[in-house]
Amino acid sequence: MHALTCADCATGPGPGTEFRALPDGLFACPADHPLAPQDIDLDGPHVWAVDASGLGYVTDPAHALEQLGEAIADLGEADEMPDPEYGIMRSLRNAVDAFGEYTEAFRVGSAPVAIR
């Protein structure tokens, strides 16, 4: 999980102080700069999550599963590429990366669990 940090506490080029969850459902950095969940605005296919290290973000599990499906589809078409071996390796690498992103989302509780 990638940590979300306080922009008000940032000094220089480095990241700011990490947010922690408060009992009232809000977040705050150690300097008490507040952040409400509705104010968390992430770019791209990410969702916010909380784990023992604080507030952060992971890849949206739906996006990760979509990427996994695309990688598996690409694997089935790899033999049609000019360099099939490269196509297979690229597809497998993309599948492993997408599965890792889904696993991280699952680990922090952002991914749904379906029991059949």
Side-chain angles (χ1 to χ4, degrees), residues 59-61 63-71 91-105:
T59 299
D60 184 334
H63 178 75
L65 287 178
E66 182 179 310
Q67 294 299 106
L68 180 59
E70 288 178 14
S91 297
L92 290 174
R93 188 176 331 110
N94 291 344
V96 168
D97 290 347
F99 182 74
E101 290 174 347
Y102 182 81
T103 302
E104 181 65 11

Side-chain angles (χ1 to χ4, degrees), residues 1-10 14-21 26-31 33-59 104 108 110:
M1 185 171 81
H2 304 281
L4 287 175
T5 57
C6 180
D8 293 332
C9 292
T17 306
E18 295 178 2
F19 285 99
R20 300 286 183 227
L26 297 177
F27 301 97
C29 68
H33 295 120
L35 177 65
Q38 61 269 24
D39 294 334
I40 301 172
D41 184 23
L42 301 172
D43 294 330
H46 299 108
V47 294
W48 64 272
V50 178
D51 70 3
S53 66
L55 176 65
Y57 67 94
V58 294
T59 299
E104 181 65 11
V108 297
S110 292

